[in-house]
Amino acid sequence: MLRLALILPNGDVREVQAEPGYSLLVAVQDAGIDTLPGVCNGCCSCGTCLVRIDQVSEQDLSPCYPGEQQILAKLSAGEKTRLACQVMVSSTLAGGQIRLLGKSRPGKHAGD
């Protein structure tokens, strides 16, 4: 298990245990944090599990595939923003700052 520091929307930091190889979304939900609803159950289609990952090189994260890129573009997500359902937990994340954003626009999903 790895220890990850998550920054909640209110600025509080919460440390959670995460299993390598699982998605970041699973780690957040397993910790009982409801900031990332993951309406599509991790299928990369709703955009409700937005996170910003700082202090980690993009090359060290799991690849951002075209489907995720489309969702991020539709949501006008900024740099270093990913869908937690597509980021796999690895030791690289343990040194990063993971800010939980959830839905970037209230009432909007990528499928809207």
Side-chain angles (χ1 to χ4, degrees):
M1 296 287 264
L2 297 172
R3 185 175 301 266
L4 302 178
L6 307 175
I7 304 169
L8 304 177
N10 66 3
D12 289 348
V13 177
R14 178 140 174 227
E15 288 194 2
V16 301
Q17 296 288 331
E19 187 72 37
Y22 285 90
S23 74
L24 183 55
L25 178 62
V26 168
V28 170
Q29 291 177 337
D30 283 354
I33 300 171
D34 63 0
T35 301
L36 304 180
V39 173
C40 69
N41 293 314
C43 293
C44 190
S45 63
C46 70
T48 61
C49 63
L50 280 174
V51 295
R52 179 179 168 94
I53 303 173
D54 290 313
Q55 299 181 346
V56 175
S57 169
E58 285 188 43
Q59 292 83 2
D60 292 334
L61 296 174
S62 44
C64 187
Y65 293 105
E68 180 183 9
Q69 291 170 8
Q70 287 177 336
I71 297 292
L72 294 172
K74 190 166 188 175
L75 294 173
S76 300
E79 283 186 37
K80 300 184 180 185
T81 304
R82 296 285 306 270
L83 298 178
C85 67
Q86 300 300 299
V87 176
M88 296 300 113
V89 172
S90 68
S91 58
T92 305
L93 285 179
Q97 290 183 350
I98 304 166
R99 183 171 299 277
L100 307 183
L101 304 174
K103 290 194 299 185
S104 66
R105 298 178 298 174
K108 292 283 188 180
H109 301 280
D112 291 346

